[in-house]
Amino acid sequence: MKQYTFKISYEGKFSYSWGYAMYSAFLEQLNKEEAGKIHEDASFSQYITPDQWVISSEKEYSLNDSYFLHKYNMEIKLLEKKTEEITEQQMADKYLVHAPFKKNIRVCFLTPTTFKQAGEYVLYPTQSLIMQSLTTKWNQWAQHFVLEDMTWDNCKISKYNLRSVAYSMKGVKIQGFVGYVDLFFWGAESIIRLANMICNFGKFSGAGIKTTLGMGGIKVE
């Protein structure tokens, strides 16, 4: 898995919904075969914040120096690039064996995030929704360390600071949230280490729905 982080330059007032427009502009530069592969690529995610565009994928894609967002009649220029690469084995070695583990993990929602439950968008996250989403995304990517039947009944939200934010795409506004939650884990060290691995993978996978389209970008502290 590779992650590219670009500093960006633009004019005008920032909108989180640029994430979907950025995705559309990115697809426009690809041929139909490449664009089709992205739709089938469970590891692909991207999001935009006021100062950077982040894209994660197992595959290599050529990227332009700038992208024009037709809906907003503005251009986003890609400046300094930082690249980070991980493998499944490296993640397992680091978080399951070598790195000190954390019982308190802060999950920061950098772009509007939501989950779907019983066919409805969820306005407020629960520890179960967060951890189950991250586990599912890990299992879609992992080949060897697949986590089956994880219920994550050893954690709770100990603190939060969230606000609701609408995300616009295809003429629809999806109500989501940005901010952070602090997750507290207890119990066996092995389970806490698994939680550390899953949460830190979220930096690459995102959390919740529509991470390909710019929602659910997260970082972990």
Side-chain angles (χ1 to χ4, degrees):
M1 178 82 77
K2 285 187 177 181
Q3 184 172 81
Y4 306 96
T5 301
F6 295 90
K7 287 186 177 180
I8 58 175
S9 172
Y10 55 86
E11 295 183 359
K13 185 178 179 181
F14 174 79
S15 169
Y16 287 113
S17 299
W18 289 357
Y20 178 65
M22 194 72 172
Y23 175 70
S24 299
F26 170 65
L27 289 188
E28 284 179 2
Q29 67 146 350
L30 304 177
N31 59 47
K32 289 185 177 180
E33 183 179 355
E34 286 181 315
K37 287 180 180 178
I38 288 180
H39 291 300
E40 300 170 0
D41 183 1
S43 69
F44 182 92
S45 68
Q46 61 84 32
Y47 64 87
I48 193 167
T49 69
D51 57 0
Q52 62 186 20
W53 182 47
V54 181
I55 179 171
S56 301
S57 177
E58 287 185 296
K59 300 177 176 62
E60 295 274 0
Y61 297 103
S62 58
L63 298 169
N64 294 346
D65 294 329
S66 65
Y67 290 92
F68 187 77
L69 310 187
H70 297 283
K71 180 178 179 180
Y72 301 97
N73 192 33
M74 54 87 68
E75 182 182 42
I76 294 183
K77 296 179 181 179
L78 305 186
L79 306 177
E80 180 182 333
K81 180 177 78 170
K82 182 179 72 173
T83 305
E84 184 175 353
E85 185 173 4
I86 58 159
T87 66
E88 182 182 353
Q89 188 64 55
Q90 287 171 338
M91 290 288 289
D93 287 345
K94 179 176 181 179
Y95 293 105
L96 302 185
V97 181
H98 300 300
F101 65 91
K102 294 182 178 181
K103 290 186 176 181
N104 293 282
I105 297 176
R106 174 165 291 184
V107 180
C108 302
F109 302 102
L110 304 176
T111 65
T113 305
T114 188
F115 306 89
K116 224 169 185 184
Q117 191 174 49
E120 300 288 336
Y121 295 121
V122 175
L123 188 57
Y124 179 81
T126 65
Q127 65 269 26
S128 177
L129 287 171
I130 295 169
M131 293 304 297
Q132 209 52 58
S133 172
L134 294 175
T135 303
T136 297
K137 292 178 184 298
W138 169 268
N139 286 342
Q140 288 173 337
W141 177 67
Q143 298 294 315
H144 306 288
F145 300 96
V146 178
L147 307 182
E148 298 181 353
D149 303 321
M150 295 296 298
T151 57
W152 301 111
D153 54 2
N154 66 319
C155 73
K156 66 178 181 180
I157 294 177
S158 59
K159 185 178 179 181
Y160 68 89
N161 186 350
L162 300 168
R163 62 184 176 91
S164 60
V165 178
Y167 193 82
S168 299
M169 66 172 75
K170 301 179 182 178
V172 176
K173 287 189 175 182
I174 299 175
Q175 202 64 37
F177 50 85
V178 295
Y180 71 82
V181 299
D182 289 349
L183 297 175
F184 174 70
F185 296 87
W186 63 86
E189 177 182 329
S190 58
I191 302 299
I192 298 175
R193 284 188 171 278
L194 285 174
N196 278 237
M197 181 178 71
I198 294 302
C199 288
N200 280 278
F201 179 67
K203 171 185 175 180
F204 295 87
S205 68
I209 65 171
K210 303 187 185 302
T211 51
T212 298
L213 307 182
M215 297 188 74
I218 71 169
K219 70 175 181 178
V220 173
E221 298 175 352

